[in-house]
Amino acid sequence: MGAILDYLLTLAFAAVVVLVPAAGVWVASSLAVYQGGPTWLAVVSGALLFPVLPLLWERWAEARRRRKAVEGKRLLGFGGRLVARTLALNVLFLALLLGLYPAASFAALSARGDWFLEGRTGDLAVVARAVLFRTAGALEGLYRTVRKNRFEEAIAEGAVRPAGEAKPEPLPVEPAPSASTPTTPAPGTGGASGSAGLVRGAVVPGGAPLWPLPDRLHPLAVEIPAAEETSPAAVARWIAARERDPWQRVKALHDWVADRIAYDADSYFSRDLPPQDADTVFRRRTAVCAGYANLLAAMGAAAGEEIVVVPGDARNDGADLTGEGHAWSAARIGGRWTLLDATWDAGYLKDRRFVKRYRTSYLFVPPAVIGVTHFPEEPSWQLRDPLLTRGEFFRQPVLKAGFFAEGLSLVTPSRSQVTVEGELPVELLNPRGRFLLADFVAEEGDAKGDCEVSNGAEPRVGCRFPAPGSYRVRLFVGPELYGHYDGVGELLVVNRGG
């Protein structure tokens, strides 16, 4: 028994000796890939940590013993000392990486921790990825400790509640015919069985409007007299008294908030937020996300509707694939929960200024669609089963609700960030015959250019990059070849080629 225990302890120690240096190289190389740096630097660091630095340390220690004429038997032999020095150096290296870059390390491991398996799809690669990403997930607590939602303090007291009775019951969505199963959530993900032939905004059994709804303001949000707009409660009661359908009542509240409140770009960029409570937002007519969500929750309460604030992270144009702090809404209608984001439906930021543009892309949006860009702090507010992990959220390509509303599906790439050698090929499914454009911009410097696009039912996009570096590939869609195109997604690319 003692021999077996000794053998097991020796085996465990040997595993630690191998795994600790490997973990250091894994973290360093994943950080390098994630940030567009050279992977050889991480490999060189690994070589220094074993065997170069341990051997140099051993030689220095031996020379020091000779100078001091130290005698006596050493506690450990040469091999044991080398192992101990290797462990000490690698533990220190790993601790420094995680201590200096806790959030970036988790993001890098979650998004690119399998970089050395890129392009491999065999059974062994699938198992290896699962192990790597599960290991990366163990660091999420460290990530959450250092990454705080900067809008959290602006959320009204009592507006956030545990999901409680929230169920993963997506709303019906407009069907999008497709010849193959997309690799990202498509409009059909919500479960629109039996709804073929319905048009945008049609009502399906159960009273739920079909997503996406037409981009038209509810008539009551337009017709309400200015004399009635004296407080959030006054507006909400006026709407509630005239709209009996609960779905349309919540839409009217959402529309009033999205139409009347302008995004406070100055406060967002200065990071100096004025109060975001419902009364202040109503009076000032400007807000950041927390103010939109607080106002909608307060108006819902006054109208007899249950609307709560959902804090979390969201990924928008130009942002890191991990996203930033955000707040949106959930409403319980007819006994079921649905998600909405009045902030994103109000307009967008361009050149640090707010551009008003009312939309319904994030009104009663299916969980599988909003889950591409929004990740709630309370997992139950994903309203889906199974739940996404934060790492899975990071790995999804950053595609807006408008991408899925147009019936598009992304075939390749299937990840938010990829590494290429000079050119990125993109394949999509486009059953409704929309027109696509694409371009790229360098993350550093002023390099930019257009990508080649072949439109049709199965569009192909090709982006050739002028030099090595990190790029952001932007996708646009429009109903006509010559006309307005909306930005619907971004892909992050690390180009290693010339």
Side-chain angles (χ1 to χ4, degrees):
M1 189 67 178
I4 295 176
L5 183 59
D6 184 62
Y7 173 76
L8 291 176
L9 289 174
T10 302
L11 193 62
F13 182 71
V16 171
V17 170
V18 172
L19 290 176
V20 170
V25 173
W26 180 45
V27 174
S29 61
S30 298
L31 274 168
V33 172
Y34 177 68
Q35 296 177 342
T39 53
W40 61 261
L41 189 60
V43 175
V44 169
S45 299
L48 285 173
L49 291 167
F50 181 78
V52 177
L53 289 179
L55 286 173
L56 290 175
W57 186 0
E58 173 66 18
R59 289 193 62 181
W60 174 83
E62 282 296 314
R64 185 168 177 270
R65 281 176 62 86
R66 285 195 297 269
R67 284 197 308 270
K68 294 189 174 184
V70 177
E71 298 181 356
K73 187 177 179 180
R74 305 287 293 272
L75 180 63
L76 296 174
F78 172 77
R81 295 196 304 272
L82 190 63
V83 167
R85 298 188 199 284
T86 299
L87 276 178
L89 287 170
N90 280 275
V91 167
L92 177 62
F93 178 66
L94 190 57
L96 283 173
L97 282 178
L98 297 179
L100 293 174
Y101 311 104
S105 294
F106 172 72
L109 294 175
S110 298
R112 301 306 307 273
D114 66 336
W115 64 270
F116 44 88
L117 297 173
E118 196 156 22
R120 293 179 171 84
T121 58
D123 292 342
L124 186 59
V126 171
V127 172
R129 280 193 180 91
V131 172
L132 290 170
F133 289 141
R134 180 166 294 186
T135 303
L139 296 177
E140 183 175 351
L142 184 64
Y143 175 88
R144 289 170 61 89
T145 299
V146 298
R147 277 287 295 259
K148 299 297 184 183
N149 188 337
R150 68 185 178 106
F151 302 108
E152 187 172 3
E153 293 184 0
I155 296 173
E157 185 176 354
V160 180
R161 304 178 205 167
E165 300 176 18
K167 302 293 183 184
E169 186 180 353
L171 290 176
V173 293
E174 187 176 3
S178 175
S180 61
T181 302
T183 56
T184 49
T189 305
S193 57
S195 59
L198 292 175
V199 298
R200 289 170 66 115
V203 175
V204 298
L210 195 66
W211 182 88
L213 285 74
D215 292 334
R216 291 196 298 269
L217 288 166
H218 190 288
L220 293 180
V222 177
E223 297 168 2
I224 181 172
E228 299 289 344
E229 297 180 315
T230 57
S231 70
V235 172
R237 286 194 291 264
W238 190 91
I239 290 174
R242 290 160 178 79
E243 177 57 78
R244 298 182 60 183
D245 181 85
W247 291 93
Q248 291 300 317
R249 191 181 305 135
V250 172
K251 171 176 164 51
L253 297 174
H254 161 277
D255 290 359
W256 191 95
V257 173
D259 181 63
R260 297 302 203 280
I261 308 301
Y263 194 83
D264 191 348
D266 291 340
S267 295
Y268 170 79
F269 286 110
S270 70
R271 306 181 77 88
D272 183 16
L273 301 180
Q276 296 295 306
D277 61 280
D279 290 333
T280 301
V281 169
F282 185 89
R283 184 176 65 255
R284 297 180 72 246
R285 292 294 201 268
T286 62
V288 294
C289 58
Y292 280 87
N294 286 338
L295 178 57
L296 189 54
M299 292 177 68
E305 299 294 340
E306 187 174 5
I307 302 177
V308 299
V309 178
V310 180
D313 292 330
R315 309 187 296 177
N316 209 341
D317 294 338
D320 182 78
L321 61 83
T322 61
E324 64 174 339
H326 188 51
W328 56 100
S329 306
R332 184 156 62 177
I333 307 173
R336 63 193 296 187
W337 286 99
T338 182
L339 301 167
L340 52 159
D341 190 337
T343 308
W344 282 27
D345 280 343
Y348 56 92
L349 293 176
K350 183 178 181 180
D351 299 328
R352 300 175 71 92
R353 297 179 65 86
F354 174 66
V355 178
K356 180 179 178 180
R357 186 187 175 193
Y358 166 79
R359 290 173 293 185
T360 57
S361 299
Y362 289 91
L363 174 61
F364 309 145
V365 58
V369 173
I370 194 172
V372 176
T373 51
H374 294 55
F375 190 84
E377 292 177 9
E378 167 57 55
S380 297
W381 284 122
Q382 294 182 32
L383 301 185
R384 60 194 299 179
D385 186 17
L387 298 174
L388 283 183
T389 66
R390 192 178 294 271
E392 289 170 330
F393 174 71
F394 289 170
R395 292 190 290 276
Q396 296 179 113
V398 183
L399 302 170
K400 297 181 182 178
F403 179 91
F404 305 107
E406 294 294 350
L408 296 167
S409 299
L410 181 64
V411 179
T412 59
S414 61
R415 299 282 282 273
S416 54
Q417 187 192 68
V418 294
T419 300
V420 301
E421 294 291 337
E423 182 176 1
L424 171 72
V426 181
E427 298 179 12
L428 305 100
L429 297 177
N430 180 25
R432 298 180 192 164
R434 299 299 193 251
F435 293 93
L436 293 163
L437 291 176
D439 66 8
F440 64 83
V441 294
E443 295 280 48
E444 295 183 1
D446 55 3
K448 59 183 178 180
D450 294 326
C451 301
E452 296 180 0
V453 179
S454 61
N455 279 297
E458 298 182 1
R460 297 293 184 270
V461 177
C463 301
R464 293 187 176 89
F465 306 106
S470 297
Y471 295 86
R472 195 175 292 268
V473 172
R474 305 182 297 185
L475 302 175
F476 304 86
V477 64
E480 299 177 349
L481 181 59
Y482 301 105
H484 178 77
Y485 283 71
D486 287 321
V488 292
E490 293 186 340
L491 301 168
L492 301 181
V493 182
V494 177
N495 178 40
R496 301 291 187 193

